[in-house]
Amino acid sequence: MTTGGKAGMRSRSRQTVFAGALLVTSALVPVLIAAPAMAQQQVAQSGAGVLGASHAFDIPAQSMTSALTQFGQQSGLQITVDGALVRGIDAPAVSGSMTSQQALDRLFAGSGLSYNISDDGTVVVEQIVTGGAAEGEVLDPIRVEGNAEAAYGPMGPTRDSVVASRSRTASKTDTPILDDSAAVSVVTQKELETRNVQDLQQALAYTSGVNVAEYGADVRYDYFRIRGFYPAGGYGSFTDGLARRSYNWTASRSEPYGMQQIDVLKGSTSSLFGMNAPGGLVNMISKRPQDEAGGEVFTTFGQSHLTVGGDVTGPVAEDSNWTYRLTGLWQDADRAGRDYSQDDRTYIAPAFTYKPKAGTELTILTSYSKRDSNVGHAFPPGVDVDPDTFLGEPDFDEFDTEQYDLGYQISHQLSDQLQFRQNARFTHLTLDQQQVYVSSSNPASNRSAWSLEGETNSFLIDNQLEYDTAFNAYLDSKTLAGLEYSYADTQETALSGSAPPVDFNNPAYCGVGCITLSPWTDHEIKQRSYAAYAQEQLTIDRDWIVTLGGRYDYVQSDLENYFGTSEEHDMHAFTSRAGLTYKVTEEVSVYGNYSESFQPVYSNAAGVEGDLKPQEGTQYEVGVKYQPSEFDALFTVALFDLTQTNLVKSNGGLLQEQIGEVNSRGVEVEGKMSLTDRMNVTLAYTYLDAEITEDGTSGNEGNRPDHVPEHAASLWMDYTIPEHGMFGDLTLGGGVRYVGQTYGDSANQYSMSSYAVADAMINYQVTDSVSLAVNANNLFDREYVASNNGFSSFYGDGRTVLATLKYSW
């Protein structure tokens, strides 16, 4: 590895990236200009006969808004309706095999509503006038909402609400969250946009059961814990339903601008998703093509921060079965204004959807992501230094990743009751990491140096068959069966060494020439996994929902390690899940579940004490969910008891042993509300009683696991003052996040105090198409230590203020 000339290389790299971004932006201009024109020119296929197809409907009695959402999902039809038209109207239950026309007739019976079919096959909801006009006259429809809410959160209603009522993540089927026997949180596109999140940690910061940013200014990875468990190795990170596992150090961060929603499934999930940490998973849903043309371009700027980007979608051409979406951004920025920090990005994600006929759909998801960043501003424990102080070497420090993704999702309706789905992705990722850091509080001690080159190629494919049927008016079945395969090959070469001491209060840098490095590791990790799973969701008398699932995983891990020797580990496990939901009313459900997790272990050491066993988890959970019909909201309370066994721990040097067991039990409370069209509220509280129950000879039994707070809470509110005269809408928002006291190590020797930080935003709608927003994180610039493990400490991020000017259509 070449260790010199990094400053010049970085400068030239930035020039190259900037030039490339200009070329990409120039290429996008014709597309951005042409998109609205193409939408105006599009003439869709005739809507004749779209209501004649039969489907197995299962729509419970509920609000008309929710009923139409489910009708759109179960029939595959697009619904257009003015939200005010159906507000406060209840819909009867519709169940059984029938045509779409018969289902609509039953839904609208006695409601004063009717429907029509537009030229493009869209169902347009209309109001029947019974007074003040001719009897039976139908008012012209007001086309406000373009798409019914889907499990993947389109640019429809979920774009205007912080509340999502459905998620495919919890069961791999399109199921209402109210019916799922598990705790599910969804961060919608509305919430992502309102808070202008800059990374995944910010996106999850207001979610119950999730702790983020435990390493503060260290921004190498997306750090989060769910129910007290950190998903090391990416065992908890998913994109579009497929895992984002990492094998050692070679991993990258996700781009939040490329997401249209984020699902958080809490608890053990291996019965559906296989290898996974026990606390749960985060599933990031990529932006997908939309049937209606639309888009935006924006620029975000602040102290040492500049971002430009855009997102455009719509039909590819007139009378085409193809739609597209193109999302991209370029960024030149520092991290929270810190000296010698970096957060530069280039991201572009083309996506296409092909719908050759009803019931068949192919979506191609591709992306390119390049990030030039650094490790973070570590400082020695117990030493009082300014948060901006950098104790590494500016010309050497880097954490650069480049990632290519190529994937697709295909679904085909084999019959009215049977559907086949396939989801696949190939990823190529490279990492260049270099750093110098202090590892001692003695200013006379040498600093440590580290360098790594890594490359990963991975492929995942998930095949699913879903069979939905209604045996009679009281018994409905949704059966899922799947086969999954994954392969990953990671190669890493690491060097280690040292650099001269530095003055903690007035550092003087010596440059690349003073750093000495020598070979430390050179290894390759290959892992193959094979899995088969099945799940049954049985609805009894519309009120009882039984969920049973099981999965068998077989994992082969091969390691060519540091010393030229090799290790092979074959692990397998059967994991199960059993859940029960009872619909007390159409608005309230109570549930309970038992679930298991499975996480394989591969050694990266010279030797292993004893036989390696997979880390296993079990969970018991009960909860209640409330989704009122009077306003758009979802409330969840969950109580859980979760245990993981066979935890791996270093036993000095490079040896490992499995001696650990951790128990985590607690309570989560979460509420998401769009109280009116102009007011949104998100609240969350988590209590965690986490304990190390086994720790071999270390004597840590009874201690709290590192970086796990006992209490955490958050509250966000935003309100829009409506336009008046010449003034447009003005939205004001603010939030506070509280994290309780934590420890930096399992021995509980290093304690970090609790802290609370405030966030704020203001958005002014200049015109219908132009908006100007200002977002502030850590508004009062609260200084706190986020991590201290006895070797290195990290401050939390300081205040960041960013302004965003956006034009949308």
Side-chain angles (χ1 to χ4, degrees), residues 119-137:
D119 291 339
D120 62 358
T122 298
V123 178
V124 182
V125 180
E126 305 165 330
Q127 184 177 33
I128 300 175
V129 177
T130 57
E135 184 71 21
E137 180 182 346

Side-chain angles (χ1 to χ4, degrees), residues 535-555:
Q535 177 183 263
E536 172 64 30
Q537 293 171 279
L538 197 63
T539 302
I540 305 170
D541 198 20
R542 301 177 185 172
D543 294 332
W544 297 89
I545 304 168
V546 179
T547 302
L548 300 173
R551 173 168 170 145
Y552 178 79
D553 284 272
Y554 177 72
V555 183

Side-chain angles (χ1 to χ4, degrees), residues 268-328:
S268 301
T269 59
S270 291
S271 64
L272 270 182
F273 294 93
M275 298 177 280
N276 205 26
L281 62 85
V282 173
N283 187 24
M284 296 160 279
I285 310 300
S286 302
K287 288 181 175 177
R288 295 152 189 272
Q290 303 297 310
D291 294 333
E292 295 185 4
E296 65 183 28
V297 290
F298 74 94
T299 179
T300 298
F301 49 92
Q303 180 184 3
S304 302
H305 186 112
L306 176 63
T307 307
V308 293
D311 178 21
V312 61
T313 186
V316 169
E318 182 180 351
D319 296 327
S320 176
N321 292 327
W322 289 85
T323 54
Y324 77 97
R325 191 161 190 172
L326 183 59
T327 308

Side-chain angles (χ1 to χ4, degrees), residues 199-397:
D199 55 44
L200 181 63
Q201 297 177 125
Q202 288 184 8
L204 300 176
Y206 287 86
T207 302
S208 68
V210 181
N211 298 109
V212 298
E214 63 185 52
Y215 292 105
D218 185 351
V219 294
R220 290 174 294 172
Y221 308 110
D222 291 321
Y223 296 107
F224 62 85
R225 286 177 186 263
I226 306 178
R227 293 185 170 175
F229 292 91
Y230 175 62
Y235 287 104
S237 296
F238 286 71
T239 301
D240 300 317
L242 296 176
R244 285 285 189 192
R245 303 184 190 105
S246 58
Y247 302 86
N248 236 21
W249 295 286
T250 304
S252 65
R253 307 189 74 193
S254 52
E255 176 50 60
Y257 189 64
M259 307 172 195
Q260 68 182 31
Q261 82 176 37
I262 302 172
D263 295 352
V264 182
L265 173 59
K266 302 163 192 176
S268 301
T269 59
S270 291
S271 64
L272 270 182
F273 294 93
M275 298 177 280
N276 205 26
L281 62 85
V282 173
N283 187 24
M284 296 160 279
I285 310 300
S286 302
K287 288 181 175 177
R288 295 152 189 272
Q290 303 297 310
D291 294 333
E292 295 185 4
E296 65 183 28
V297 290
F298 74 94
T299 179
T300 298
F301 49 92
Q303 180 184 3
S304 302
H305 186 112
L306 176 63
T307 307
V308 293
D311 178 21
V312 61
T313 186
V316 169
E318 182 180 351
D319 296 327
S320 176
N321 292 327
W322 289 85
T323 54
Y324 77 97
R325 191 161 190 172
L326 183 59
T327 308
L329 65 77
W330 173 85
Q331 176 173 299
D332 187 345
D334 293 346
R335 181 71 182 184
R338 297 283 170 84
D339 296 338
Y340 304 111
S341 67
Q342 190 178 15
D343 188 13
D344 298 347
R345 311 179 194 178
T346 301
Y347 176 80
I348 184 167
F352 299 90
T353 294
Y354 176 55
K355 299 178 182 178
K357 61 179 181 179
T360 300
E361 182 174 324
L362 167 67
T363 296
I364 301 171
L365 299 167
T366 68
S367 66
Y368 168 78
S369 178
K370 187 177 190 304
R371 299 181 69 117
D372 295 336
S373 59
N374 59 355
V375 175
H377 286 45
F379 66 95
V383 177
D384 186 15
V385 299
D386 186 270
D388 285 340
T389 302
F390 181 62
L391 302 178
E393 286 296 328
D395 291 341
F396 185 73
D397 188 66

Side-chain angles (χ1 to χ4, degrees), residues 572-606:
H572 58 89
F574 177 82
T575 51
S576 61
R577 172 193 181 192
L580 177 64
T581 300
Y582 174 61
K583 302 286 286 293
V584 181
T585 69
E586 291 302 324
E587 300 176 335
V588 179
S589 66
V590 293
Y591 71 90
N593 76 61
Y594 167 81
S595 56
E596 298 174 332
S597 69
F598 157 70
Q599 188 173 335
V601 176
Y602 59 88
S603 170
N604 60 353

